[in-house]
Amino acid sequence: MSSFIRTRKKFVSSAIASSLSMIATTAIAQDQSQVVQLPTIHAEATVNELKVDKSANAKYVAPLKDTPKTVSILSQKLLKETNSNTLLEALRNEPGITLGAGEGGTPYTDIPYIRGYNGQSAIYVDGVRNSTTQNRDMFAIDQVEITKGSSSALTGGSGVGGSINLIPKVAHEGDEYQGTVAGGTDNYKHIVLDANKDFGNGIAGRVIAMGHENEKPGQHNGAEYARVGLAPSIAFGLGSENRATLSYYFLKSNDEPDSGVPFNNPNNPPAGTDKADGRPVNVKQGTYYGWKDRDFDKRENHIGTLKLEHDFNDDLTVTNTTTYSRSKADYIFTNPDDSKGNIYNGKVYRRATQSIRDTEAFTDQLSLAGKLNTGAIAHSFNVGAEYNREKTNRGNYDMTYPGYPGSTTAGFNANCANNDGWCTDLNNPSANDPWLGTLNPNKKQTTLTNETVSIYALDSIEFNKYWLLNLGVRWDQFDTNLKYNKDVTSRGVTTTAGTEYSNDTDYFSYQAGVVFRPTENGSIYASYATAANPVGIDPDIDGLSVSTQDLEPEKARTYEIGTKWSLWDNRANATAAIFRTEKQNTRVSIDANTTANVGESKVDGFELGLTGHITDKWEIAIGYSYLDSELTKAAYNAIAQEGKPLPFVAKQSASLWSTYQVLPKLTLGAGAQYRDQVYANTNPNTATTSTKILPTFTIYNAMAKYDVNDNVNLQLNINNISNKRYFTSAHAAHYANEGDGRNAVLAVNFKY
């Protein structure tokens, strides 16, 4: 990798290593009797509780109760009881998060909006950025940790509204064999086998295997999903001062995709026809506009990780994590496009949205974490350095079709003027129209390379039992380069092979928080944190171009006041926070040919949460979020949107999951998810633009679990009990993703 790192970066890395060595030497030399013993944070999940008190992320240098940020943890128990098999299913249990959908490079991808801002590039696995295009499965994940508010001091670039960290399942001490075999409606089949073997002498191995397939609930002859996964790991030195964990994650999927239904587009109505309202078209639930003979979605993801740890003593640990990942995506799916007003004639244009991409990433993280004191002041700290390099090759398919001249990627029968498969009936679409065309892969049209070098320092300072100060600073050097390997034509403009765009920038991110502990069971805090989005860090949002390559990073800051309490003899945790996030330097168009850092927006809000046992038999996880968003300065051609809410922000959202042990062997559970109306697009209704709205919804779920014995239980989940037609996400211009109809799953869970 040395060939990738510039001379200045080698110098920085050397300085980092020297600094870490000096800190370690100083800490080791301290008299242990003078070091204040702060609670040790272990990287493990609590699998039998909804409530989780400790993060597995070592960058949280204080217990969650003393961390001046909103941190939500979706526990393993919650994931199992709600039958959340994917990340998007898991995130629906967390208020304040809405979901988006993409076009071109990002359909069917995890696109969470955290407190109003896109978090697609702020997803991590064990603290390592995992921003490739994929749908993440939970089969090898212990818990999901959600940080809300600007978080670049913890993670680096991105994280305006927050970040998501997935904690993987790896080998551990003790023998444990567990799994799930499940079946249900809509040809649902799911199996997970998880075996952990302790070989003695500090060595353990673990293998997790998963297979899954189902049809989309509520559809017939529609979307189909199939995937397999494998996650082996081996650990050495468990229980000793020197530990090593080698792990691998593999996920492969082959789906028949569904992008939902078109919006009731107010554009281009026939003369004398009233404009529509911009909501999804009112067709039968489960209507499928896909073209089965043409559409497919194939993904493949690999993550290999080597984690090395050494304890200098009980209070000082050095960790190095090296990760290599590879992600492939190959798909063509139907975009039910109505930009030409075809719905007024009872037709839908099946525009092809497609991509071929291959991403490789290498990351190395070095950190020193521990506890020490300076006089009467106690410190819990984490300092470190990170290096990351990502390279993505992108291409697409050239299509030909009888009756259309030449080869192109779009534009076939957009006006539904011809009687062919490119258009289908609005109310009774035909998924089985024959595909008569050809698909010629055109790979590696462009190559995007991102390289980051970072150093950071985090410190939780305890002055006494009442007062703490949490500080963090991070410096990132981010270099990005986009190279056109072939001539590429987009919207009538051709970029020639050999063209390159690049951006080199560095930026600092900060966080600071004051924590007051009036009692040992509660804390009150005030905090400030920043975030930065450099050009090119998320090419699917705003990639490199001639008009963006010289721009500065977008900047954001979050102000937050909150409180956290342990209730009822630590059986439950209660949280509350009020906050504002402001984004400046947003990249917007100031004219047809120029982009500048002049956009601004803000989100004001508050959140409430309660998780844990109300009684010994009654357990609950409930949350509420209120977000008041506003676009304060927009692009030149979107002035009319100023003062309006941000897209994909629900003003109010709430989630509830509760279980009650009605008999020694029988537990019943119920839950609800509420989301307020969401704007996918706040454009005014003109000849070329229109407002797009996802309606308010509430869905109800239920669960029953029967313990056959200490090792085996039966679990029945019924989701969307009322069979509500609702929409989970949308593309800003064309389509809305319909949520699953009513479905049921019966699982046999075992653990030995």
Side-chain angles (χ1 to χ4, degrees), residues 13-134:
S13 300
S14 299
I16 292 166
S18 299
S19 299
L20 293 178
S21 298
M22 292 175 63
I23 294 172
T25 302
T26 302
I28 294 169
Q30 291 208 48
D31 184 350
Q32 295 299 305
S33 65
Q34 297 182 0
V35 177
V36 176
Q37 299 296 314
L38 298 178
T40 300
I41 299 176
H42 300 281
E44 60 184 24
T46 305
V47 296
N48 61 342
E49 298 283 342
L50 295 179
K51 180 177 75 72
V52 179
D53 294 319
K54 298 175 182 177
S55 168
N57 186 351
K59 290 181 179 178
Y60 285 108
V61 291
L64 292 181
K65 188 179 65 175
D66 298 331
T67 298
K69 282 181 173 292
T70 298
V71 183
S72 300
I73 297 182
L74 308 180
S75 68
Q76 179 67 195
K77 186 178 184 181
L78 180 66
L79 299 179
K80 285 186 175 181
E81 289 184 344
T82 58
N83 194 37
S84 298
N85 293 322
T86 68
L87 176 60
L88 295 185
E89 290 173 349
L91 293 178
R92 289 166 191 165
N93 295 293
E94 180 63 26
I97 294 181
T98 51
L99 306 176
E103 182 182 25
T106 60
Y108 312 119
T109 298
D110 299 337
I111 309 179
Y113 280 73
I114 309 171
R115 284 187 178 175
Y117 293 100
N118 193 311
Q120 181 183 350
S121 59
I123 301 176
Y124 301 79
V125 177
D126 200 19
V128 177
R129 188 184 299 276
N130 186 241
S131 58
T132 55
T133 301
Q134 57 183 282

Side-chain angles (χ1 to χ4, degrees), residues 31 88 130 211 321 338 351 355 394 475 525 639 681 717 723:
D31 184 350
L88 295 185
N130 186 241
T321 303
D338 191 55
R351 182 159 67 96
S355 183
R394 294 207 228 186
W475 173 82
Y525 67 87
I639 298 297
N681 197 324
N717 286 83
N723 202 28

Side-chain angles (χ1 to χ4, degrees), residues 606-746:
F606 67 89
E607 293 174 334
L608 304 171
L610 175 66
T611 305
H613 282 274
I614 306 299
T615 68
D616 290 341
K617 298 181 179 181
W618 182 16
E619 198 170 10
I620 192 171
I622 185 171
Y624 171 81
S625 174
Y626 176 88
L627 302 175
D628 184 15
S629 64
E630 181 183 353
L631 179 63
T632 53
K633 193 171 184 180
Y636 82 100
N637 57 352
I639 298 297
Q641 298 182 62
E642 292 182 355
K644 294 183 177 180
L646 298 178
F648 303 108
V649 181
K651 178 165 284 190
Q652 298 186 81
S653 59
S655 65
L656 166 68
W657 181 253
S658 182
T659 61
Y660 192 85
Q661 188 179 7
V662 297
L663 296 171
K665 291 189 174 186
L666 179 63
T667 300
L668 300 181
Q673 298 164 1
Y674 168 81
R675 194 202 65 200
D676 210 345
Q677 171 181 284
V678 167
Y679 285 93
N681 197 324
T682 57
N683 275 306
N685 297 332
T686 67
T688 58
T689 64
S690 63
T691 301
K692 304 291 174 39
I693 301 170
L694 297 182
T696 300
F697 69 81
T698 303
I699 59 172
Y700 303 96
N701 309 312
M703 183 272 294
K705 182 171 62 177
Y706 179 78
D707 295 326
V708 179
N709 53 46
D710 291 340
N711 303 112
V712 179
N713 70 65
L714 302 176
Q715 180 175 314
L716 174 66
N717 286 83
I718 303 176
N719 302 309
N720 193 6
I721 296 172
S722 64
N723 202 28
K724 171 76 172 180
R725 185 177 188 243
Y726 70 104
F727 298 90
T728 60
S729 58
H731 179 262
H734 300 301
Y735 59 86
N737 295 115
E738 191 176 80
D740 291 345
R742 181 171 50 237
N743 62 97
V745 175
L746 178 63

